[in-house]
Amino acid sequence: MRIMKFLLLAAASAVSLNTAAARPAPAAASASLATEDPQVLARADALLARMTIEEKVGQLAQLFKIPVLPSVDDKVRSGQVGSLLFITDPAEANRLQKIAMTEARLKIPLLFGFDVLHGLKTIFPVPLGMAASFDPDVAEQAQSVAAREARAVGIGWTFGPMIDVARDPRWGRMVEGAGEDPFLGAAMARAQVRGFQGPRLGTPGHVIAGPKHFAGYGASPGGRDYDSLFVSDAELYNVYLPPFAAAVDAGAGNVMSAYMDFNDVPASASPRLLTDILRGELGFKGWVVSDANAIHSQVKQHFAADAGDAAVRAMKAGNDMEMALLAPAFATLADSVKAGKLPVETVDRSVRRILAAKIAMGLFEKPYADEAEAKRVLADPAHRATAERAAERSLVLLRNEGGLLPLAPGAHKKVAVIGPMADSPDDTVGPWAFVYDRDETVTLFEGVRDRLGRGASVQTAAGVQLARSFPSGLEMFQPPPPAWTAERRATEFQQAVKLAGDSDLIVLALGEARNQSGERASASDLRLPGEQIKLFEAVAATGKPFVVVLMNGRPLDLTGIVDRAPAILEGWYPGTRGGTALARALFGDINPGGKLPVTWPRSAGQVPIFYAHNRSQAPETQAQRYYDQPSSPLFAFGHGLSYTSFRIDTPVLDTPELKPAGRLTVSTTITNTGARAGDEVVQLYIHQRAGRASRPVRELRGFQRVTLAAGESRKISFTLDEASVKYWHSEERAWVIDPGTFDLWVGTDAKADLTTTFVVGGAPRTVAAR
Ligand code: BGC
C-alpha cells in the first residue's frame, strides 16, 4: 500500500516535471523534510527517470576542491560530479553552484561537504575535550553553532561526528572522538548529530551529519593509523557499534565507511558492515560515502583487481558515494552497468538516496549561499560565547596538591606563561581546524594576561618548538612553521628558563603540537614530545611556584612530571576561546568539572588500557600484572578533581529487581560539601556477576553533570532498563540478557566504591537490538 502510494506520487511528479522544467516541483510548505518523506522520494524518482547512466554515476562522485588540484568546473558542467569537498569560501561555492544550476543539463545542485569536526570559524574544544565535559548538551550546542557557520558559507554536509571508540592513545585519531566508552560515545554521538542536523534533516541553518568511520577504525592494532584490523563480533556489537546505533537513531543522514580492512575486507566493500549491519540491523536510511580515495585504495590493499572491480564491489556492498581526490573509480560504473557487471537498479538506489538528501536539504530551492549573511553569521559574538562555555566545560583538573589552584589573582605580580603551547593559536585550536581566525584565537598567555589586567606583568616564552618532521596529509592546507635552527633552540630555551627564574608564578603549557595529534599522527611513545621534559625540569629547578596546563589530543605519559607538578589542568585543544576559559579556571572564576573520557595510562607499555575489561583468573594480582610498573592506570576513566568537594549518598533502588521489560530507578543525593560552587559528574556503573559470557568488571550506564552551590544538595536518579543489561553474545550470535545478580556503583570515576546490587529477573533470553 505504501509502495503503491510512492509510485503514484512519483508518476504524478514525473508528469509535472516533464511538462514544466528540469527542476523538481518546490517542496511543500514544511520547513524541513526527511529523506524518507514520500514527497521527497517521489521527486528523487522523477529526476532519476530523466538521468542518463553517466549523469547518475556523476551523482555518486564527490571530489576534493583544493587549490593544488586541477579545476573541477568542466566536471560540474557535464554532470560528472555531484558533491565537492573542502570549499569554505561562499563565493567559490556559489560560482561552482551556478555552473551546476545553469550550465549542467539537469540542474541538480551540488552538495558541498567539509570536515566540520569542532567548528568552522569559531573553534570548539576537540571532540575528546567535548566528551570530557560529560555534557552532551554542550556538544549539541557547539555543533549547532558549527552547523550554522558551515551552512552560511554553503556547506550542506559535515563529515562528522567522528564516533570511533578509541582505546589506544597511540592512535592519533583518538582526539577526534569521544574516547574509550561506548555509552558515553553513544550519548555524544546522539547529541552531535542533533546539533549538526537540528530536529530534522533539512532544518534551516543546519547541515547533514555524517558519522564516521564505519566501523571499528579505532581498533587499529598498535594504534597504527589505517592498519588492517580484526574485531570480534562481541567487540563490534558491544563496543564499536553503540555510538553508530545512537547516531542512526538520531537521524544521521549520512555515514562514512572506514578505510581499513575489517576482518580482511575493506570496510568500503563490506556487505556485512554496510548492508547487513548498518541498514539491516541499525536501520540506517541515508547514503554511505567512502573515506577519501578509499575505493581506489581497495586495489592498493590487494583486495580489488582494479578500479572497476573496486567500484562494483563497493556499490554492491552498499557504499553509495565515493570521495575521491582526482578521477573517481566510480566513473567506471557506467561501463560496468553496460557490460552487465552491475545492475542499474543498484546505481539507481544509491542515486535516489543522494538526490533525496539534496531535496530534503532544500538545495533545489536555495542552492546558493548568501555571502553577506555568511559574513554576519561568522562574526556572531554569540558563537564565541558558546565556544568559551564549551571550553570551560571540557577542562579536567587532573591534580591539585595542597589546593594550589585556584590561584589568587592579586597574589602574583610577575607571571610567566611558558612552553610551546603558551602562545600558539594554531595549537590552541588543535587538529581539524582550517578556517579559524588566528588573531581572534585567545591563547593561554593572552587569557592570563587579559585576566590579570594591569595588576600583574605577564610574559611568555615558548622555550621549545614542537612540530613533526613528517607532514600529515592535511598540512598541505596549512604547513607548520619552519623548524628552529640549533642556535635558536638554545637561545629560546635559555630565555624561557630565565623568564621562569624572574617570575613569581609560572604557568607551564605543555602538550603536543596540533600536527602531532589526529590523522596520520600515531605515536609509539606517549611521553611529552621534543624537549619538554627538559624544559619542565629547568622550570621546576627554579623553585618558583608553577602549575602545568596540558594541551593534547590523548593521554600522555607524565612520568617525571605528575609527581613533581603540584597542579595539572588538562585543557585538551580548547579552541577559539581556550585561553580565556583556561585563565578563568586557573584563577577560580570557574571551577573545572570535566572528567576523563579515557583511562590515562602511566606509559605506552600499558596500552591498550580501559576500565571496562573482563576479570582475569587472578584478580588479586590485577594491580601488579607487570613486574616493572603497576598495571593500574595513572588516572581512572571518569577522573577529574574540583576546587570544592562532594559527598554522594549510598544509592537507593526503587525495586531490587529489574523485571523483563521493566525499569529500575537508582537514586542518590549529592552534596557540595566545600566552600565554593562546583560541578560533579555522578557516574553509574554496573557489572554482571555471572552469565552466559564473562562481562566487563564495570560498564558505565548512566552519568549526570550537576552544578551545586556551596552546601547545596540535590537528589538525582538514573533509570536502568533492559538496554542497560543486554549484551551481544558471540556464540549465540544474539543480544541476550542473563538473569542474576549485578553489582552497581555510583561515584565520581570508574573506581567508584559506593556499591549495591540488583537482580535481573526472568529467564535467560534473547532480545531485539533496539
Ligand atoms: C579522513 C576522513 C575525512 C576525509 C576528508 C580522510 O583522510 O579519514 O575522516 O573526512 O579525509 O577530509
Side-chain angles (χ1 to χ4, degrees):
M1 196 52 209
R2 241 171 95 92
I3 292 171
M4 217 23 217
K5 202 170 146 202
F6 281 15
L7 291 176
L8 285 173
L9 275 165
S13 283
V15 170
S16 74
L17 274 169
N18 289 338
T19 51
R23 282 180 61 177
S30 156
S32 61
L33 291 168
T35 47
E36 300 145 73
D37 187 306
Q39 200 188 2
V40 169
L41 290 174
R43 288 176 67 187
D45 281 337
L47 191 48
L48 195 58
R50 305 182 59 237
M51 295 170 80
T52 63
I53 183 68
E54 285 76 17
E55 284 164 335
K56 289 176 183 174
V57 165
Q59 287 302 307
L60 309 182
Q62 181 185 50
L63 288 175
F64 277 83
K65 173 69 184 68
I66 42 180
V68 292
L69 294 175
S71 159
V72 290
D73 294 14
D74 282 344
K75 291 199 160 128
V76 174
R77 199 167 284 121
S78 55
Q80 288 177 66
V81 58
S83 175
L84 295 171
L85 76 152
F86 258 89
I87 297 172
T88 54
D89 171 7
E92 177 63 356
N94 285 344
R95 187 188 71 76
L96 286 154
Q97 191 67 295
K98 196 163 174 213
I99 299 178
M101 297 308 287
T102 59
E103 298 181 44
R105 187 180 83 91
L106 288 175
K107 304 180 180 22
I108 301 173
L110 291 163
L111 174 59
F112 297 101
F114 191 59
D115 292 279
V116 187
L117 259 282
H118 57 117
L120 185 76
K121 175 122 191 295
T122 308
I123 306 297
F124 296 90
V126 285
L128 191 64
M130 277 199 267
S133 72
F134 274 71
D135 182 354
D137 289 347
V138 109
E140 183 174 340
Q141 285 154 17
Q143 301 303 30
S144 149
V145 167
R148 182 166 182 249
E149 292 189 356
R151 194 69 199 268
V153 301
I155 295 166
W157 163 28
T158 174
F159 312 125
M162 192 282 216
I163 56 175
D164 294 316
V165 169
R167 297 183 153 186
D168 187 335
R170 290 173 298 184
W171 191 46
R173 304 198 77 168
M174 176 180 265
V175 64
E176 295 176 45
E180 77 181 42
D181 188 67
F183 185 86
L184 175 63
M188 287 300 181
R190 202 176 292 124
Q192 293 186 82
V193 169
R194 276 201 302 257
F196 283 131
Q197 290 193 172
R200 262 189 114 187
L201 195 140
T203 307
H206 288 269
V207 297
I208 300 170
K212 64 190 185 185
H213 307 81
F214 199 75
Y217 185 22
S220 65
R224 292 181 298 271
D225 213 358
Y226 313 143
D227 263 16
S228 68
L229 49 88
F230 292 89
V231 171
S232 73
D233 267 11
E235 282 173 294
L236 179 64
Y237 283 96
N238 295 322
V239 178
Y240 294 104
L241 288 183
F244 283 98
V248 169
D249 283 351
N254 168 260
V255 161
M256 184 185 289
S257 56
Y259 276 128
M260 76 293 143
D261 281 349
F262 176 94
N263 297 346
D264 284 343
V265 178
S268 59
S270 165
R272 175 158 186 252
L273 283 180
L274 300 184
T275 297
D276 301 352
I277 296 179
L278 181 60
R279 294 190 186 278
E281 297 175 29
L282 304 190
F284 177 62
K285 297 282 196 291
W287 87 103
V288 174
V289 67
S290 76
D291 203 336
N293 262 357
I295 309 302
H296 283 294
S297 306
Q298 289 176 24
V299 181
K300 287 198 202 163
Q301 286 164 240
H302 287 189
F303 172 80
D306 51 36
D309 182 33
V312 167
R313 290 164 83 180
M315 282 296 289
K316 285 189 174 162
N319 194 106
D320 304 292
M321 184 188 265
E322 174 187 12
M323 180 190 285
L325 210 54
L326 286 165
F330 274 16
T332 59
L333 288 174
D335 285 346
S336 297
V337 169
K338 288 176 195 158
K341 291 185 194 152
L342 181 73
V344 71
E345 291 73 23
T346 309
V347 172
D348 285 354
R349 195 182 55 187
S350 294
V351 177
R352 183 183 297 113
R353 289 172 183 151
I354 293 159
L355 292 177
K358 291 183 174 184
I359 295 166
M361 287 299 284
L363 290 179
F364 284 89
E365 288 73 29
K366 196 173 176 301
Y368 302 108
D370 175 338
E371 292 170 44
E373 172 66 5
K375 274 207 186 81
R376 277 192 294 276
V377 168
L378 295 189
D380 190 340
H383 294 188
R384 314 305 189 264
T386 309
E388 188 171 315
R389 182 170 157 75
E392 288 176 3
R393 303 281 283 177
S394 71
L395 305 178
V396 182
L397 183 59
L398 293 175
R399 181 173 156 88
N400 193 17
E401 283 312 290
L404 177 62
L405 291 176
L407 302 163
H412 309 278
K413 296 291 165 220
K414 280 160 63 181
V415 177
V417 187
I418 291 178
M421 316 307 279
D423 192 27
S424 164
D426 294 341
D427 296 314
T428 304
V429 296
W432 289 105
F434 301 95
V435 284
Y436 59 96
D437 184 337
R438 278 202 178 104
D439 292 339
E440 74 160 353
T441 305
V442 184
T443 64
L444 175 59
F445 160 65
E446 291 166 336
V448 170
R449 188 195 56 196
D450 296 350
R451 174 63 185 82
L452 295 181
R454 294 215 188 84
S457 134
V458 182
Q459 294 191 55
T460 188
V464 303
Q465 188 191 34
L466 295 181
R468 271 170 51 208
S469 49
F470 174 71
S472 87
L474 296 172
E475 279 160 15
M476 80 170 106
F477 303 106
Q478 204 179 78
W484 290 353
T485 59
E487 196 188 338
R488 178 151 181 216
R489 284 216 304 273
T491 325
E492 296 267 356
F493 193 88
Q494 280 158 16
Q495 279 171 358
V497 178
K498 166 133 190 2
L499 177 63
D502 292 344
S503 308
D504 53 34
L505 171 74
I506 300 145
V507 179
L508 190 52
L510 307 174
E512 303 172 287
R514 77 189 206 122
N515 72 348
Q516 292 173 320
S517 178
E519 188 174 354
R520 292 195 191 183
S522 293
S524 64
D525 186 348
L526 298 177
R527 280 176 296 184
L528 282 166
E531 308 222 281
Q532 294 186 91
I533 305 255
K534 211 172 120 195
L535 181 66
F536 173 86
E537 280 165 359
V539 167
T542 63
K544 297 294 172 80
F546 70 99
V547 300
V548 170
V549 170
L550 294 175
M551 289 190 207
N552 47 308
R554 61 180 122 218
L556 296 167
D557 177 342
L558 297 179
T559 309
I561 291 185
V562 71
D563 38 359
R564 295 173 64 199
I568 306 178
L569 180 62
E570 175 57 77
W572 314 107
Y573 297 106
T576 302
R577 284 294 182 90
T580 312
L582 283 163
R584 281 168 55 76
L586 291 173
F587 293 100
D589 306 326
I590 55 157
N591 189 346
K595 300 280 179 170
L596 291 177
V598 57
T599 302
W600 194 296
R602 294 170 194 274
S603 71
Q606 285 187 321
V607 303
I609 184 169
F610 47 90
Y611 80 91
H613 56 81
N614 288 7
R615 216 160 184 244
S616 79
Q617 59 95 11
E620 61 285 356
T621 62
Q622 172 73 40
Q624 276 308 336
R625 288 283 160 63
Y626 300 110
Y627 71 79
D628 56 347
Q629 69 171 323
S631 52
S632 61
L634 183 59
F635 300 117
F637 174 89
H639 167 79
L641 305 172
S642 169
Y643 299 153
T644 185
S645 50
F646 297 93
R647 187 188 63 237
I648 299 179
D649 294 347
T650 307
V652 179
L653 313 184
D654 65 341
T655 159
E657 182 180 340
L658 178 61
K659 298 209 167 71
R663 283 164 175 266
L664 184 155
T665 304
V666 183
S667 307
T668 184
T669 299
I670 170 160
T671 305
N672 179 343
T673 53
R676 57 166 77 219
D679 285 17
E680 186 53 277
V681 179
V682 185
Q683 303 159 41
L684 181 148
Y685 297 87
I686 64 166
H687 164 241
Q688 172 175 309
R689 285 195 181 168
R692 282 173 281 181
S694 302
R695 299 293 302 139
V697 290
R698 291 188 184 202
E699 290 181 284
L700 185 69
R701 284 295 177 264
F703 62 88
Q704 277 179 50
R705 181 165 176 162
V706 288
T707 304
L708 295 175
E712 190 184 351
S713 291
R714 178 135 355 122
K715 185 175 168 189
I716 57 170
S717 48
F718 299 93
T719 303
L720 299 179
D721 58 18
E722 289 204 321
S724 316
V725 295
K726 78 171 203 285
Y727 68 95
W728 177 268
H729 195 286
S730 287
E731 296 190 4
E732 313 236 343
R733 301 187 57 74
W735 289 99
V736 303
I737 291 180
D738 293 337
T741 303
F742 280 65
D743 297 301
L744 181 151
W745 296 264
V746 171
T748 60
D749 63 25
K751 296 187 313 214
D753 54 8
L754 278 175
T755 178
T756 182
T757 59
F758 66 98
V759 168
V760 170
R765 52 198 182 274
T766 61
V767 287
R770 236 84 58 73

